[in-house]
Amino acid sequence: MGLRGWRDLAPAFGLGVLAASGQAPLGAWYLAVPAFAGIVWQVTAGRPAARGWAAGTGYFAAALSWIVQPFFVEPETYGWMAPFALVLMAGGLALFWGAAAGLAARLVRTTARQALAFALCLSGAEALRGVVFTGFPWAQPGHIWIDTPVAQLAALTGADGLTLLTLVLAALPVMARGRGTLAAALLLAMVWGGGVWQLAQPDPAAPGLTFRLVQPAAEQSLKWDPAQAERLYRLQTGYTAAEPRPDLVIWPETALPYLYTPGGDAALGVAEAARGVPVALGVQRVEGAAAYNSLAVLGPDGYQTAIYDKAHLVPFGEYLPFGDLAWRLFGISAFAARQGYGYAAGPGPRVLDLGPLGKAMPLICYEAVFPEEVNAAPERPGWLLQITNDAWFGTLTGPFQHAAQARLRAVEQGLPLVRVANTGVTQMVDARGRVTAELPFGRSGYLDAALPGALPPTPYSRYGMMPFLLLLGGLALTLARRRAHPSA
């Protein structure tokens, strides 16, 4: 492709960058929707696959710019990889967009129908992106609505339904110009109004529990410095011991700065500080030849009452494909693992019965971005518990995008979410995704917050992707019928 060809793709790339402004922390949906409309217009104007790929590359390069941050925690080892990681990540994920645009152009020829076909194909491609090759449903187009009443639609359709809505809103002006713009405005107003109504409904009864959320704000580059371990341990046990006493104390992911052993000195010290209050804390433990990233719950005597091992690990972050070979040849290990070259995966989603504290579904870090896995709980919990260490993601966008996606899980399930992060975002979230209490980002401290109540099971929690697939299929059948009968 010559220079002229690359220049032809520049507008699509720029529109992709603008569309990414809808993601947290900006949440500029009012810029993102017109940008998506521009992308739809671009792919219907010629070279659809190339322009779709260019738009996706710009979108993911901007939305996922935080991906370079982990490489600079140990820059002498990993820093050289940062630009390659961003370029390969953005260009690779953009292949889904290019394939969707190319398929839409092959299915239909007229601009109006191609616009709708692209919206449907890209919605399907984004749903696939969340599951293929272990899945990466980060920065979906539908996430632009998380901080608006429109997010309440996720209780019916999940995040994929929000993406379908976004892309249909973008396609309508291209399909019918002025009339399409009006139709898009009316559709958005209807969904927005429905969300406002839902948010105005009475809150469910709260269980009367107070949880202490501990945020140590450990700098990632120093987190595993042996000289810092005692300071971090004393800091967190000091927060744990503070009066008045809560019903549960929660530490973030890998917060215990020592290798965890049930009944060991470090665990007993935590229980001594808690003085009879249970503590849930993120730990690293070894069992046989395997290392695990885990959540341990300690009873009043300091002994383990429950354990959960993270099941969905981050590729290259917590394990390396062919990790033993990479370790032997290059001395490269997964970023987060402190034992060997990676963690082992736990058996899968589970619900912990914490007695008078209710039933909690634990999610460690990355696991909260996978709606279908949260939906795969073996039984309905009373609340969601996410512990995470977002210091890996920097301070500009990554932690806020991660927190926004976790809040969407609360909406989808109709369950309150307790989110405890090393540097933030640490929040208590109600069953409609609203933040009820929050710690300042990047500061060490603790927060005592009341656990909100749970709503009845949502349609999404009952039926999963079925409502989204029915909507997608219905629109596809309508498009196919009009293709077969142009006068219809």
Side-chain angles (χ1 to χ4, degrees), residues 152-239:
Q152 299 307 305
L153 180 64
L156 172 63
T157 66
D160 292 320
L162 293 178
T163 292
L164 178 60
L165 171 68
T166 305
L167 297 174
V168 168
L169 290 173
L172 283 171
V174 180
M175 294 171 64
R177 298 188 182 180
R179 289 182 295 124
T181 301
L182 178 60
L186 291 174
L187 175 59
L188 178 57
M190 181 179 67
V191 178
W192 192 292
V196 170
W197 178 84
Q198 186 66 37
L199 291 169
Q201 299 308 298
D203 294 328
L209 298 171
T210 298
F211 294 167
R212 176 164 297 167
L213 318 183
V214 173
Q215 181 174 290
E219 187 177 341
Q220 190 59 44
S221 61
L222 301 176
K223 193 169 189 287
W224 303 115
D225 184 344
Q228 296 292 320
E230 183 66 17
R231 182 189 70 81
L232 287 171
Y233 184 75
R234 290 186 179 276
L235 177 72
Q236 292 175 102
T237 52
Y239 292 153

